[in-house]
Amino acid sequence: MPMEKHTYCRICEPLCGMIATVDDDRLISLRPDKEHPLSRGFACPKGIAFTEIVNDPDRLRHPLRRRPDGEFEQVSWDTALDEIGRRLVEVHRASGSDSIGWYFGNPATFSTGHVLWTAIFMNLLGTPHVYSAGSQDVNNRFVASHFLYGNPLTAPIPDINRVDYLVIIGANPVVSHGSVMSSPRIREGLNAITARGGSVVVVDPRHTETAREFDWLPITPDTDALFLLSLLHVLFDEDLADRDRLRRQARGVKELETLVAAYAPETTADRTDIDPERVREVARSLARTERAAVYGRVGTSLGRTGTLTTALLDMVNLVAGNLDVPGGSMFGDLGIPGQRLGVTALQRVSSFRWAGRRSRVGNLPQVLGTAPASLMAKEITTPGRGQLRALFVSAGNPVLSVPNGDELRSALDELDLMVSLDIYRNETNARADYILPATTMYEREDFLLPFQALFTTPFKQATEAVIPPQGDAREEWTVINELIGFLAPEKLLIRSLHAGNRLAQRLGRPVTPRGISDLAIRMGLGGDRFGLRRGGLTYRRLVEDHPHGVVVADDLAPGQLAKNVTYLDGRIRLAAPELMSEIERLSVDTDTGYPLRLIGMREIRSENSWQHNAPMLLRGGRSHAARMHPDDATVRGLAEGDLATVASRHGRISLPVTITEDIKPGVVAIPHGWGHNGSGGWTQANAAAENDLGAGGVNVNALISSDPADLERLAGMANMTGVPIQVSAMSDSRARTGDTVEPARL
Ligand SMILES: Nc1nc2c(c(=O)[nH]1)N[C@H]1C(S)=C(S)[C@@H](COP(=O)(O)OP(=O)(O)OC[C@H]3O[C@@H](n4cnc5c(=O)[nH]c(N)nc54)[C@H](O)[C@@H]3O)O[C@H]1N2
Ligand SMILES: Nc1nc2c(c(=O)[nH]1)N[C@H]1C(S)=C(S)[C@@H](COP(=O)(O)OP(=O)(O)OC[C@H]3O[C@@H](n4cnc5c(=O)[nH]c(N)nc54)[C@H](O)[C@@H]3O)O[C@H]1N2
Ligand code: SF4
Ligand SMILES: [Mo]
């Protein structure tokens, strides 16, 4: 008998409510939950198509082992784990803890057990080789917060419900559904701003799906820091800032004011290509509108100075009087007593502290215990103490998602041991010794700790698993427990962890993600405080009494700064020398020979690299293409659909062009996550690749540098936007260089 179960989608950040129809332990369909208080019956195509992913015949259902001839064979979990355990111990004995590494990809963040267990295991192992998608995404946000607030774990979010003037810089929430904020129905949320008489300005080199609905302010890629410095200039220069209040809230106001004096909008206009009068208008509106905010995301993170740019976003909010006030840029409240002390204590742990350690290759700082993923390949191939010899990759596809995938792909072959935990065979685990099948989100219970302070309307939802693990799939944290068991005899800290786990088990209270989440729910906003607050929330009550989730406060609470700043005097630091010295990097960079600038873009029916196998999302003959302006196409003799060669100083790819007025001249947008070429197990995605040149897409990250000197200095961010490139018609480049240009092969 089919039955319906309440749950929520965990592909991207709004965590939309879902109703799953289940029959005999099989997921039949998914539909949006109309009674979810925030998503109210909304779900995007990716969310609905997830049934096809759960039941995909290509999905991994059993552990695989690579044979000497390179093919994979099915083995039992016992065999796979025994062999992995033995080989892991061998690597540990021969080369030590710092030869073992882990890369966890984006979907790991959507599983509390997965992130927590990985972080704890790797930390206690003491290896510096922990990598994540964060260095291609958001680590700069943590570092900006570290410098400003002393607290890497805090991030202000725009108060979508109340803001009347919102400046969105380098984000496309109509397609991405919002990031570093959980705001279901974000498109409606934004439209409500204009409906109540407010306005939304979208600062972006592309006339994006979001920009089309609001007011577009085109900008030259990777010049946002200059634009923000000019906004600060105007705020001080026109006396729009409340200096007394600023001094109470922050240190370094004078230094900042002195610094921005040199950045009048008239001086930065050449680089940003924004009319100085527009900059002044924006600054005035930010200061004079009572409820105003600026918000930035991936476009402001992947430039050459992502940490500085993100810090400047917060500084503009602060100086304009919009930080930590209703309708401005606000801090989510976990409501957990002692959270500030907790973060302060964590900062004492060197592997957690910013730059508590630096990478062996490139000397780049660690961020929340992780190193830049761009360095993985060189950490494998560079001999010496600390050389990476064994690598686990969970929920990630770094061969497509990090710079210079070719370099990484061949480096992976040099490892003594590579193990992947995934739901699919992908371009990365094609090189693994073992591939272990993981559960999808609907095969696990979850309460997502990492998103709790990011809801624009404070909200909580927990779910049970809606179906049991399919095939032999297992949850990542349970596999990590096994690995902990193997290494326990080898390392004291791991032994203690293992002993703790076992003791808890014997006492009938095993340590589980659910147990930890329950603790956080009970101590947090609306929690039962272990009986002190009658009728308060627990994990069980959330699931049983609030199957659609529960709004725990109507709006974000102002006045959270004191809880979030961990500096002793409680004031924000505006002039950290590390940040200020990044300003040098803003000096002009003309790259003759590479006159165009590459930017990224996300597509509504893709999720990074891993949803190109769902027939529902592939409908309509989708293909991978570069968007460019007619002016740039015409001079290169390119017409719609022509194949073009795109080259940077670091690599070249070929793909069709789509010509559109919806992009600033001089800029080319190419989506990432494509480049399926038969090396993974994605039949649908790969079939497209075999049809025609480039039809299955190419890996845009072949154009991106993995050289440590090219990484952003404070957070080790990959520079994926504003990258100098040249584009030529493919036949031309063949004629000129005499070589045959192949689409980047993986
Ligand atoms: N449909 C869909 N949704 C997704 C994803 C997906 O792949 N598909 N991925 C998810 C993930 S992992 C994330 S991190 C989020 C990201 O969420 P967003 O950041 O909202 O999404 P992006 O599309 O990357 O938006 C970045 C925007 O920055 C612009 N941009 C590029 N360079 C610059 C620049 O130098 N300056 C300025 N001002 N703008 C610039 C781009 O044109 C683009 O519009 O989306 C999530 N949601
Ligand atoms: N040029 C360029 N490159 C980019 C970006 C960009 O904007 N431009 N964006 C960057 C960003 S923001 C991100 S987040 C990264 C993403 O980079 P990655 O996280 O490395 O790659 P994904 O494509 O998200 O691959 C996720 C993998 O997880 C698997 N998976 C899905 N669900 C589960 C699960 O529950 N458990 C397990 N074990 N596996 C699962 C999928 O099958 C897939 O193989 O890409 C980055 N790369
Ligand atoms: S926007 Fe789509 S993919 Fe993201 S959580 Fe909602 S339904 Fe899932
Ligand atoms: Mo991301």
Side-chain angles (χ1 to χ4, degrees), residues 106 133 136-137 297-298 602 608:
N106 172 274
Q136 292 67 252
D137 183 347
R297 206 40 276 284
V298 164
R602 289 183 150 73
N608 299 319

Side-chain angles (χ1 to χ4, degrees), residues 12-13 46 106 137 169-173 175-179 203-206 208 219-224 295 297-300 599-608 672 721-722:
C12 74
E13 295 171 58
K46 293 178 297 170
N106 172 274
D137 183 347
I169 312 181
N172 187 14
V175 167
S176 70
H177 301 104
S179 180
V203 184
D204 201 300
R206 190 166 75 85
T208 60
I219 188 170
T220 307
D222 203 14
T223 63
D224 304 276
Y295 159 78
R297 206 40 276 284
V298 164
T300 49
I599 62 168
M601 63 176 282
R602 289 183 150 73
E603 297 162 295
I604 200 88
R605 287 185 293 155
S606 292
E607 180 72 10
N608 299 319
H672 69 283
T721 198

Side-chain angles (χ1 to χ4, degrees), residues 519-718:
L519 190 72
I521 294 167
R522 300 178 81 168
M523 291 308 291
L525 219 57
D528 83 337
R529 296 269 160 88
F530 294 92
L532 287 178
R533 221 190 254 143
R534 201 166 318 161
L537 298 171
T538 63
Y539 199 112
R540 190 178 51 77
R541 285 206 191 112
L542 259 182
V543 172
E544 290 175 4
D545 303 345
H546 305 283
H548 309 282
V550 58
V551 170
V552 286
D554 287 341
D555 281 305
L556 292 164
Q560 299 295 317
L561 212 51
K563 279 193 215 162
N564 285 280
V565 176
T566 59
Y567 292 124
L568 276 181
D569 63 358
R571 284 153 82 199
I572 303 172
R573 298 285 188 276
L574 296 180
E578 291 89 344
L579 281 178
M580 295 301 112
S581 67
E582 281 296 281
I583 291 182
E584 294 160 20
R585 286 201 164 198
L586 302 175
S587 54
V588 186
D589 171 27
T590 43
D591 221 308
T592 48
Y594 297 95
L596 302 174
R597 292 292 176 269
L598 172 73
I599 62 168
M601 63 176 282
R602 289 183 150 73
E603 297 162 295
I604 200 88
R605 287 185 293 155
S606 292
E607 180 72 10
N608 299 319
S609 74
W610 64 282
Q611 306 207 338
H612 297 146
N613 211 51
M616 240 193 241
L617 298 178
L618 287 179
R619 265 181 218 148
R622 292 182 63 194
S623 72
H624 190 214
R627 273 73 165 174
M628 66 192 302
H629 193 272
D631 293 355
D632 295 320
T634 314
V635 293
R636 289 169 176 81
L638 283 162
E640 180 66 23
D642 279 0
L643 274 174
T645 297
V646 183
S648 73
R649 262 173 296 166
H650 313 284
R652 60 166 55 193
I653 55 175
S654 296
L655 77 172
V657 292
T658 286
I659 299 172
T660 169
E661 300 263 359
D662 282 334
I663 194 162
K664 206 174 145 35
V667 181
V668 178
I670 305 181
H672 69 283
W674 293 88
H676 311 292
N677 69 346
S679 60
W682 280 318
T683 318
Q684 307 291 330
N686 287 327
E690 282 160 20
N691 294 341
D692 193 6
L693 189 61
V698 288
N699 180 7
V700 68
N701 286 327
L703 301 172
I704 310 294
S705 172
S706 65
D707 184 334
D710 291 325
L711 301 184
E712 190 262 358
R713 281 188 296 201
L714 299 179
M717 298 296 291

